Amino acid sequence: MEKTINLKELLQSLKKRLFLIIIFTATFTVISGIVSYFFLTPIYQSSTQLLVNQAKNKNEVYSPNEVQTNLQLINTYNVIIKSPAILDKVIEKENLEMTSGELEKLISVSNEQESQVVNITVQNENPQKSKNIANAISTTFQKEIKSIMNVDNVSILTKASVGSLIKPNIILNMIIALVVGLMVGVGIAFLLEYLDKTIKKDKDVEDQLGLPVLGTINIINIDSDTKKRGSNMYINETRGDSIGS
């Protein structure tokens, strides 16, 4: 027998196990919040900006060729900033207990297309340390690039400030956990409904046994007044029989 999906029955199934769905949703959300707040290591981020541009006197004008040269140098600068030649001096300056390779993983260098501004971003577990490392990288690079490439076209545009928290995002994690918990709860509710083979109504007989229902016996609810009247009638009839005999 081909079975059809009844939306009303699905909603009734969810309503019947609403408490179970709420339990799963709340549990996932609370666990996510606890793990995010107490167990995940917070990471802070600080950023500084460098301007790649040759310093000029008032009477000098900017040449398009110089701008294009600076833009071409930026890709090279991005590599040099993350090189041991710069990072080893930063580690020594800040007394960091890590290698240049480990420090490199905490740094990202980027620039907007056709922009002479280089962004240096540092992530660290300590907000103050992320700031110090970012500023140390910018000042060290500005100093060392003069001897590395024999140019003096880098200036610090913006210094880094105390790092801001970027992860974990507790609110986002809890929202994701809430959705996942809701989906799990709904899935388990449907699974329990699918595994429940008990016959509760006449339609279940047709669906599970494939037999037509010829008739049903309804349950008659007798209230207390009716029961009392019935008892009195029985007592009176009993007394009448006793007297007649």
Side-chain angles (χ1 to χ4, degrees):
M1 179 180 294
E2 185 178 352
K3 299 182 67 174
T4 59
I5 299 176
N6 190 318
L7 182 59
K8 184 177 180 180
E9 291 182 355
L10 292 179
L11 294 177
Q12 288 177 346
S13 300
L14 294 179
K15 184 178 180 181
K16 182 169 61 176
R17 293 183 171 86
L18 181 61
F19 182 74
L20 176 67
I21 296 174
I22 293 175
I23 289 296
F24 271 96
T25 304
T27 301
F28 274 60
T29 305
V30 171
I31 290 176
S32 173
I34 292 175
V35 171
S36 299
Y37 190 83
F38 293 102
F39 295 96
L40 296 183
T41 303
I43 300 297
Y44 299 87
Q45 178 175 289
S46 295
S47 298
T48 182
Q49 291 182 321
L50 302 177
L51 177 63
V52 180
N53 190 36
Q54 183 71 39
K56 293 184 176 296
N57 297 326
K58 294 181 179 179
N59 297 329
E60 293 180 315
V61 295
Y62 286 99
S63 170
N65 292 333
E66 289 184 7
V67 173
Q68 188 63 34
T69 300
N70 289 330
L71 290 174
Q72 293 174 352
L73 283 173
I74 285 178
N75 291 331
T76 303
Y77 288 172
N78 291 350
V79 177
I80 295 176
I81 288 173
K82 301 178 71 174
S83 68
I86 303 298
L87 299 186
D88 285 341
K89 290 181 171 57
V90 173
I91 291 172
E92 181 180 356
K93 182 179 180 180
E94 296 296 322
N95 296 318
L96 302 177
E97 297 181 355
M98 61 178 67
T99 64
S100 58
E102 293 172 336
L103 179 56
E104 181 184 357
K105 296 178 181 178
L106 306 179
I107 301 169
S108 62
V109 183
S110 63
N111 69 289
E112 298 294 335
Q113 188 175 6
E114 301 299 324
S115 171
Q116 294 177 251
V117 177
V118 177
N119 300 306
I120 302 175
T121 302
V122 177
Q123 296 182 359
N124 195 273
E125 299 175 7
N126 187 305
Q128 184 63 41
K129 187 170 288 187
S130 67
K131 168 192 171 182
N132 295 340
I133 294 175
N135 287 329
I137 292 174
S138 60
T139 55
T140 302
F141 175 74
Q142 183 188 32
K143 178 182 177 181
E144 296 297 325
I145 197 63
K146 298 177 183 178
S147 58
I148 294 175
M149 296 190 66
N150 196 26
V151 293
D152 184 14
N153 63 346
V154 176
S155 58
I156 298 176
L157 185 62
T158 305
K159 288 187 176 182
S161 57
V162 178
S164 57
L165 181 67
I166 60 168
K167 55 183 178 182
N169 190 328
I170 299 177
I171 301 299
L172 178 61
N173 290 348
M174 292 181 68
I175 292 175
I176 294 174
L178 185 146
V179 174
V180 173
L182 180 62
M183 294 173 61
V184 171
V186 171
I188 291 179
F190 283 141
L191 179 62
L192 293 176
E193 185 68 20
Y194 176 77
L195 297 177
D196 187 3
K197 300 300 182 180
T198 57
I199 297 176
K200 302 182 180 66
K201 49 189 178 180
D202 53 356
K203 189 175 183 303
D204 294 337
V205 176
E206 296 180 353
D207 293 340
Q208 298 185 28
L209 302 180
L211 300 176
V213 177
L214 301 179
T216 59
I217 301 176
N218 295 326
I219 299 176
I220 301 175
N221 295 321
I222 303 176
D223 56 22
S224 58
D225 292 337
T226 304
K227 289 181 179 179
K228 186 175 181 180
R229 288 197 298 268
S231 299
N232 292 334
M233 291 175 61
Y234 175 76
I235 294 173
N236 292 333
E237 290 177 357
T238 304
R239 287 178 179 175
D241 293 341
S242 300
I243 294 172
S245 59

